[in-house]
Amino acid sequence: MTINEIEQAYDAALEVLKACASPLGLKASALNQGYPHVWARDAPITALGALITGDEALLLACRASLITLGDHQSDLGMLPLNVDTRTGNVTTENAGAIDANMWFVLGHYACHRRTNDTAFLRAAWPRIQAALLWLRYQDMNDCGLLEAPEAADWADLYATRYNTLYANALYVGTLEAAGYLSAALGEDGAAHRVRANDVRRKINLLLWLDRPWDGQRFGAQLETLRALRLEWFLLHQQTATLTEKPYFLSWAGFREFGDTFDGFGNMLAILFGVASETQTRSILDYAHAAGTNDPAPLKAFYPPIYPGERDWRDYYRSRNLNLPDQYHNGGIWPFLGGFYVLALERAGNHDNAQSMLHSLARANKLGRTQPWEFNEWLHGRSGRPMGHPLQAWSAGMYVCAYHAVVHGETPLLPPCPARTADPWADPPST
């Protein structure tokens, strides 16, 4: 692929974004038979690229998305899964959407960073505070981490559960954003940043498996786990199959854990300062060596889960979606490829980020009916498009990755410090 094709991909992505703009906000897909809804996760993720373009119509669509979602917030502060732009109907299916509230806060952060419109932020502030309070109540046992049932986030047909990496890494970024937004309104945001650091530390204690040769260090980690929460200590001490991993576990529950590689969760761990520099290198080395970025970036979870394995669910067969190497179960999602490129840039791997931007452009060019299809997801082995075309977040995250690699622009995500190397150490203050 030539440099010119990288630019062609950018121009095509802009056209998709413009086609997804509606009076109610950014639709998830430009086609009504696809996803003609403003989704609480898709729209803010799409906005990371849409806002950076400087296009006024896209800015208005980003703001409209947040208003539409906020208008349908529940009395307890929960944001809807999506709002149908044709009917105005609201969806809160599956087990809810624990990440909807977090992307709502991050969407407001991105808009304020881009526009510095404090009046818009102040008008939305009660809804943002309600969204944050609802999230606090998702920590049902007061351990400091969020708990979630199956199918409660973007991987809504996949068996991650309880203390999940994705939700809690995203929570770190949400709390950092809340601290920034509080300060923008003249309020004290220190409590949000303190909580973000606490979540960082506990993700490392629970979900990063480090068995150093120095037994004293490992013993200190176990004692920290015992003091914080007996169940966490027992999980690490008694589960013989818990061995060193080069990435964060995808989830931990009652005496069990998920050891598949969560592409989204691990990229967010890098971007939101959950991972140290050493951990970041380990994660990115594994992502490349295991082929999670091949034939295109990035596979949602790897390796795939097969029938008969512990975490196989019969609902994976629903609509023929989550068979091995498909959809969440090892399928490639181009929007995740955008986060992968951002993580490479944050790690200082500019050459690799540039190479992956080329690969992402090629993936977005593929189509069953037209070129530059910006498909929803691709088969994990063949790389062929299998989802809905003209996806807003596939286009938006390409634009975001393009600006990061080509122009060196920082994505509209909260800047977060990297952790120290010790999983049980207190992270640096922000």
Side-chain angles (χ1 to χ4, degrees):
M1 175 162 286
T2 66
I3 295 297
N4 185 49
E5 286 176 303
I6 295 294
E7 302 296 332
Q8 289 177 11
Y10 182 83
D11 292 340
L14 281 181
E15 293 305 310
V16 172
L17 291 177
K18 291 174 182 178
C20 289
S22 80
L24 291 182
L26 288 166
K27 298 186 296 181
S29 170
L31 301 179
N32 280 339
Q33 64 267 37
Y35 295 99
H37 315 80
V38 176
W39 284 71
R41 63 178 71 100
D42 298 46
I45 290 173
T46 302
L48 296 177
L51 287 168
I52 209 168
T53 66
D55 185 281
E56 185 66 21
L58 291 179
L59 168 61
L60 292 175
C62 292
R63 291 166 64 128
S65 301
L66 298 172
I67 293 170
T68 295
L69 294 165
D71 283 346
H72 292 88
Q73 190 174 36
S74 76
D75 291 342
L76 296 180
M78 184 183 74
L79 274 300
L81 188 65
N82 63 56
V83 179
D84 195 318
T85 59
R86 302 162 301 179
T87 64
N89 291 339
V90 173
T91 301
T92 54
E93 64 184 12
N94 298 355
I98 195 170
D99 53 345
N101 280 41
M102 292 186 272
W103 283 114
F104 180 74
V105 176
L106 287 162
H108 278 285
Y109 171 87
C111 277
H112 192 268
R113 273 281 308 277
R114 193 62 178 172
T115 66
N116 203 32
D117 187 344
T118 302
F120 181 77
L121 173 61
R122 192 175 300 280
W125 189 235
R127 291 172 172 174
I128 295 171
Q129 289 179 305
L132 290 166
L133 179 59
W134 184 87
L135 287 167
R136 289 286 304 278
Y137 282 110
Q138 306 317 301
D139 176 11
M140 65 182 186
N141 57 17
D142 202 30
C143 70
L145 299 181
L146 303 180
E147 285 82 46
E150 286 186 21
D153 58 34
W154 91 274
D156 53 7
L157 278 176
Y158 196 75
T160 56
R161 52 199 180 271
Y162 210 65
N163 296 134
T164 65
L165 171 63
Y166 164 71
N168 282 287
L170 185 61
Y171 193 35
V172 170
T174 302
L175 291 166
E176 292 283 3
Y180 167 91
L181 295 175
S182 297
L185 294 176
E187 299 184 10
D188 186 0
H192 296 302
R193 291 188 288 272
V194 169
R195 187 167 294 113
N197 282 336
D198 183 60
V199 177
R200 280 189 183 96
R201 179 172 180 250
K202 288 172 178 173
I203 292 173
N204 270 269
L205 281 162
L206 182 61
L207 299 179
W208 185 266
L209 300 183
D210 192 6
R211 299 291 187 262
W213 291 107
D214 182 350
Q216 186 175 2
R217 289 177 63 237
F218 179 47
Q221 183 180 8
L222 286 177
E223 287 307 308
T224 302
L225 284 165
R226 186 204 296 268
L228 282 173
R229 192 156 188 82
L230 181 60
E231 278 303 326
W232 293 355
F233 167 77
L234 293 174
L235 177 68
H236 277 252
Q237 184 194 49
Q238 296 182 4
T239 307
T241 53
L242 277 176
T243 59
E244 284 189 49
K245 299 287 181 183
Y247 51 82
F248 288 98
L249 297 175
S250 53
W251 59 271
F254 181 68
R255 312 289 169 88
E256 61 177 0
F257 61 94
D259 64 353
T260 52
F261 177 74
D262 176 354
F264 203 176
N266 277 278
M267 295 311 113
L268 292 181
I270 293 170
L271 293 169
F272 291 143
V274 177
S276 69
E277 291 183 6
T278 300
Q279 290 167 320
T280 294
R281 287 194 297 271
S282 175
I283 291 166
L284 294 175
D285 284 350
Y286 175 83
H288 175 70
T292 69
N293 60 357
D294 183 63
L298 185 69
K299 293 176 184 176
F301 291 89
Y302 182 84
I305 297 171
Y306 286 82
E309 296 182 350
R310 183 200 63 178
D311 284 327
W312 174 264
R313 300 288 190 267
D314 280 343
Y315 66 72
Y316 285 9
R317 302 182 192 275
S318 174
R319 290 174 287 160
N320 203 42
L321 284 174
N322 260 336
L323 301 179
D325 300 304
Q326 296 186 179
Y327 209 54
H328 301 125
N329 193 17
I332 295 165
W333 292 70
F335 92 91
L336 292 185
F339 283 98
Y340 179 52
V341 171
L342 296 183
L344 287 168
E345 278 290 339
R346 173 172 169 109
N349 296 345
H350 177 72
D351 289 345
N352 287 338
Q354 189 172 49
S355 174
M356 286 298 100
L357 183 66
H358 280 255
S359 180
L360 190 57
R362 287 192 294 269
N364 284 319
K365 188 176 184 179
L366 295 173
R368 291 171 294 182
T369 60
Q370 63 183 81
W372 301 114
E373 195 170 86
F374 288 88
N375 204 277
E376 180 186 16
W377 63 277
L378 318 176
H379 191 275
R381 284 189 293 172
S382 72
R384 295 191 179 100
M386 296 188 68
H388 289 281
L390 304 182
Q391 291 283 295
W393 62 3
S394 297
M397 285 309 300
Y398 178 81
V399 168
C400 188
Y402 171 93
H403 277 271
V405 172
V406 177
H407 299 300
E409 295 189 51
T410 304
L412 296 172
L413 295 169
C416 299
R419 284 185 50 84
T420 63
D422 288 333
W424 55 87
D426 288 325
S429 59
T430 56

